[in-house]
Amino acid sequence: MSNKLQDQVAIVSGSGRGIGREIALKLAADGAAIVVNDLDAAPAEEVVAEIIAAGGKAVACVGSVTDKDFGDRFVKTALQSFGRLDIIVNNAGYTWDNVIQKMTDEQWDAIMDVHVSAPFRILRAASDYFRESAKQEAEAGQEVFRKVVNISSVSGVMGNAGQANYSAAKSAINGLTKALAKEWGRYKVCVNSVAFGLIKTRLTEATAGENNTSTLDIDGKQIKVGVNPQLMKNIESMIPMGRAGTPQEAAGSVYLFCIPESNYVSGQVLVVGGGRP
């Protein structure tokens, strides 16, 4: 443990499972207090308990990031629980794929809402605190950096067949990243995106096509997840490193944008794909 994030506070959406969980654990292990979020209370509380058992600090903020009031509630949880906010990781999301002629308005709107509108609301909710804190710190002659890491995808960088909604949403979050890097630079807030390639999670695990019973419950709707085993092999064969990444490796790339060594890095999209552009 390097304690580079000692006394800092991070909010990580979708951190009860998968990549988000590993991000929360990684930041906590380096000293940050964490606000853990998940749709369901059980996984969120499990991560909180794990962080506390390891000597860290954490609280849960359960609920859907797409709720209109969630951004305000998420930020307030950090401020009320720990008195400050230093790091925002917009990680929550899922895929709901289809070719465009079969894609419904519901599919399009749902993916845009969770991957673009939800992060926008969270960042807007934090804006007053960031601005006021930066003003007070500047008056005191202090230079304090804060970090935003938005989770994108290679689909948002180069597109992907069957993912018009997801590709558009992840491209949009990169645009939001670059815009806020310009707006918030004067407040010493670094805003970057991490665009993941194939990372092994429950959303991408290999499952037989017709026999795939793996689903995600979103607002009472069962959405199929998983990747056909042959397709998974084909995708991995195109990755120079020859395999999918792990959630721990994914978390490591987010961590790079949170530590002091990246204080002069902002407005960037880092592709994390094992050598595949």
Side-chain angles (χ1 to χ4, degrees):
M1 182 185 295
S2 67
N3 288 325
K4 288 183 178 181
L5 303 179
Q6 192 67 40
D7 299 324
Q8 294 193 28
V9 176
I11 60 177
V12 184
S13 67
S15 49
R17 290 169 267 215
I19 294 172
R21 174 182 180 276
E22 296 302 327
I23 293 170
L25 295 176
K26 179 75 173 176
L27 300 184
D30 220 36
I34 311 294
V35 179
V36 178
N37 159 255
D38 196 89
L39 271 171
D40 306 311
E45 292 294 354
E46 286 175 9
V47 176
V48 168
E50 188 170 349
I51 291 172
I52 292 174
K57 298 177 181 179
V59 296
C61 182
V62 177
S64 173
V65 296
T66 61
D67 290 344
K68 295 296 192 293
D69 67 342
F70 179 80
D72 291 324
R73 187 160 63 86
F74 204 19
V75 170
K76 284 180 181 177
T77 299
L79 298 180
Q80 291 174 355
S81 300
F82 302 116
R84 60 185 294 148
L85 177 58
D86 303 276
I87 298 168
I88 298 175
V89 181
N90 282 309
N91 167 76
Y94 60 96
T95 56
W96 194 359
D97 298 349
N98 224 333
V99 290
I100 195 165
Q101 67 269 26
K102 295 181 180 179
M103 185 171 290
T104 65
D105 285 355
E106 182 183 18
Q107 283 177 286
W108 176 270
D109 292 342
I111 294 304
M112 295 299 288
D113 198 16
V114 72
H115 290 289
V116 186
S117 297
F120 158 73
R121 294 190 197 103
I122 291 169
L123 295 169
R124 181 177 62 184
S127 62
D128 284 346
Y129 173 77
F130 280 177
R131 290 198 316 273
E132 289 303 314
S133 296
K135 181 180 178 181
Q136 293 172 13
E137 288 152 2
E139 290 173 350
Q142 300 172 332
E143 189 174 54
V144 177
F145 289 88
R146 293 179 174 83
K147 306 299 179 73
V148 172
V149 186
N150 294 317
I151 303 306
S152 184
S153 167
V154 293
S155 294
V157 176
M158 52 192 285
N160 193 30
Q163 291 189 323
N165 53 357
Y166 186 68
S167 296
K170 288 308 191 182
S171 180
I173 199 66
N174 292 340
L176 179 61
T177 293
K178 291 178 179 295
L180 283 189
K182 290 177 170 62
E183 287 189 23
W184 285 359
R186 57 184 165 172
Y187 305 129
K188 302 298 186 292
V189 179
C190 302
V191 188
N192 294 288
S193 288
V194 175
F196 292 132
L198 183 62
I199 306 294
K200 281 197 173 181
T201 68
R202 63 179 180 143
L203 301 184
T204 61
E205 63 184 358
T207 50
E210 292 301 318
N211 299 317
N212 180 8
T213 58
S214 299
T215 60
L216 193 65
D217 188 325
I218 303 293
D219 295 328
K221 187 177 294 295
Q222 299 301 310
I223 297 173
K224 274 192 174 185
V225 297
V227 179
N228 180 281
Q230 187 56 52
L231 179 58
M232 176 69 82
K233 289 181 181 179
N234 293 342
I235 295 172
E236 289 188 314
S237 71
M238 294 186 289
I239 299 172
M241 287 190 176
R243 62 170 176 83
T246 67
Q248 292 81 5
E249 289 168 329
S253 62
V254 174
Y255 170 78
L256 295 177
F257 279 138
C258 296
I259 58 177
E261 283 82 349
S262 62
N263 282 354
Y264 199 61
V265 180
S266 194
Q268 303 304 303
V269 178
L270 174 66
V271 174
V272 180
R276 189 182 179 198

